[in-house]
Amino acid sequence: MRVLLTGGAGFIGSHVADQLLEAGHEVLILDNLHPAAHGGPPAFLPDGAEWREGDVRDGETVRTALRGADAVCHQAAMVGLGTDIGDIADYTSHNDLGTAVLLRELAAASFTGRLVLASSMVVYGEGRYACATHGIVRPGPRRVMDLDAGLFEPPCPVCGQPLTPEAITEDAPVDPRNVYAATKLQQEHLAFAFSRETDVPVTALRYHNVYGPRMPRDTPYAGVASIFASSLAGGRAPQVFEDGGQTRDFVHVRDVARANLRGLLADEPVHGAFNVCSGHPRTFGEMARALHTAYAPGTPEPEITGQYRLGDVRHVFASAERAREVLGLRAVEDFDAGMVEFASAPLRAAAG
């Protein structure tokens, strides 16, 4: 099988390329080497892949790259929360316009293969919560006055009492709370609209907090694991926002790559959205301490800052059940071993 892999020079895409090549498939990597993540073509680009520098927002580039493709794995995107609302046009252009151009060219080429889309758990906004009195509820955005007072837990929107976070499932209402999240949800909407028009199956993989080798360093567009690792590598204490009690699911990049291969290579096409996670939630504080422990002795310990970002949510972690039942996907990478590996792996330098 020949696979067009957009964003294949990036953190996750490069691991997908490795696994596809190991499985005996042809891979064409298309990547624009965005300076927020790259200082040039990375040294880890696999020798067996065909490589083209190009932008998915350019129709001619996509048309050329699609020739002979049996499947498309769409990883190309600007990721992370960014810096501020000034990023809104760049996120929308790279993520949504780029996806729209790719889909248009797929339709024009009468593509009949499979499409795997890199989505994200950020489409959920806050996760799933239960109130002892009112059952499952959806808390609204946290109030600035509460955050300023160090009250980080969202209360029940009905009675104001404390809530218990639970694992979120793919049928939960979507509620993006920042620009990046809005663009990822729009990617899903565009891809599923394309699927309805063309009958091309779309597998949308909602990645939870991915970590592992090849993450970019010293950039606000990276995930929290990379931000913490960048601090430790620079001899600085990781700055843990809020009280460190925010809960996420940290999943190793090789498990995420395996999820992409399941979507691309399953015996029958798999349509719909799937959580890609480890199934074992941890707090930001726990992750920061585990990474610190894995680093060399003498590195600064994590600092709980009490700071916050308005676009952040408190708890969102996933149920792995649907991905296990439908995709046959189980995370196999050990968290502690993954932290040790991550601590020793060089981070990729960005250009700016």
Side-chain angles (χ1 to χ4, degrees):
M1 183 170 71
R2 181 173 174 84
V3 180
L4 170 60
L5 175 57
T6 72
F11 166 45
I12 296 172
S14 65
H15 286 274
V16 176
D18 286 346
Q19 293 190 16
L20 281 169
L21 290 168
E22 288 169 7
H25 299 284
E26 295 181 43
V27 179
L28 169 58
I29 291 174
L30 178 66
D31 200 301
N32 74 343
L33 299 180
H34 194 288
H38 295 279
F44 51 71
L45 278 176
D47 292 335
E50 185 179 346
W51 153 248
R52 294 183 193 174
E53 184 174 352
D55 198 315
V56 292
R57 295 172 296 178
D58 180 74
E60 179 58 32
T61 296
V62 174
R63 278 193 294 276
T64 302
L66 276 173
R67 290 172 187 158
D70 302 300
V72 175
C73 187
H74 183 35
Q75 305 291 317
M78 282 186 68
V79 301
L81 192 57
T83 54
D84 55 38
I85 197 65
D87 290 326
I88 188 169
D90 286 340
Y91 271 102
T92 304
S93 177
H94 284 279
N95 297 0
D96 297 337
L97 176 60
T99 299
V101 170
L102 173 64
L103 297 173
R104 181 191 68 195
E105 298 305 326
L106 286 169
S110 300
F111 178 77
T112 58
R114 301 185 192 184
L115 173 61
V116 173
L117 170 69
S119 186
S120 172
M121 57 88 176
V122 295
V123 302
Y124 296 121
E126 285 286 355
R128 175 184 170 97
Y129 291 85
C131 172
T133 302
H134 297 100
I136 301 301
V137 295
R138 294 284 295 173
R142 295 180 293 173
R143 301 184 303 175
V144 172
M145 61 183 295
D146 290 336
L147 295 169
D148 285 339
L151 302 174
F152 301 119
E153 296 290 344
C156 174
V158 181
C159 65
Q161 294 302 304
L163 297 172
T164 301
E166 298 182 349
I168 198 162
T169 55
E170 290 86 349
D171 58 357
V174 290
D175 185 17
R177 300 283 176 96
N178 57 57
V179 169
Y180 172 59
T183 65
K184 296 308 288 185
L185 180 57
Q186 179 69 355
Q187 283 185 299
E188 285 195 16
H189 286 325
L190 291 170
F192 288 133
F194 161 82
S195 180
R196 287 190 292 272
E197 294 283 342
T198 63
D199 290 327
V200 171
V202 172
T203 307
L205 301 177
R206 291 175 176 172
Y207 303 158
H208 285 251
N209 284 64
V210 189
Y211 73 94
R214 305 178 187 171
M215 294 189 87
R217 67 171 294 168
D218 295 325
T219 168
Y221 300 95
V224 65
S226 177
I227 292 171
F228 289 170
S230 295
S231 295
L232 288 167
R236 305 182 302 274
Q239 303 294 292
V240 184
F241 280 15
E242 301 185 18
D243 60 359
Q246 311 95 302
T247 312
R248 300 291 190 272
D249 187 306
F250 295 96
V251 58
H252 196 283
V253 65
R254 286 192 292 269
D255 283 324
V256 174
R258 290 183 189 100
N260 279 273
L261 263 68
R262 292 297 300 166
L264 291 167
L265 305 176
D267 291 339
E268 295 295 331
V270 181
H271 183 79
F274 298 86
N275 288 324
V276 178
C277 60
S278 72
H280 300 285
R282 292 176 172 86
T283 67
F284 276 15
E286 288 173 326
M287 193 278 288
R289 289 190 293 272
L291 187 57
H292 171 261
T293 299
Y295 262 81
T299 52
E301 295 187 4
E303 295 179 357
I304 306 297
T305 69
Q307 295 174 285
Y308 63 85
R309 299 186 299 182
L310 280 177
D312 281 339
V313 296
R314 182 63 175 174
H315 303 293
V316 53
F317 54 93
S319 166
E321 183 176 349
R322 183 165 190 261
R324 183 168 55 248
E325 291 182 351
V326 180
L327 281 175
L329 182 66
R330 290 180 182 271
V332 298
E333 302 289 340
D334 178 76
F335 177 77
D336 291 326
M339 285 288 110
V340 171
E341 177 195 30
F342 184 40
S344 63
L347 296 174
R348 186 175 76 247

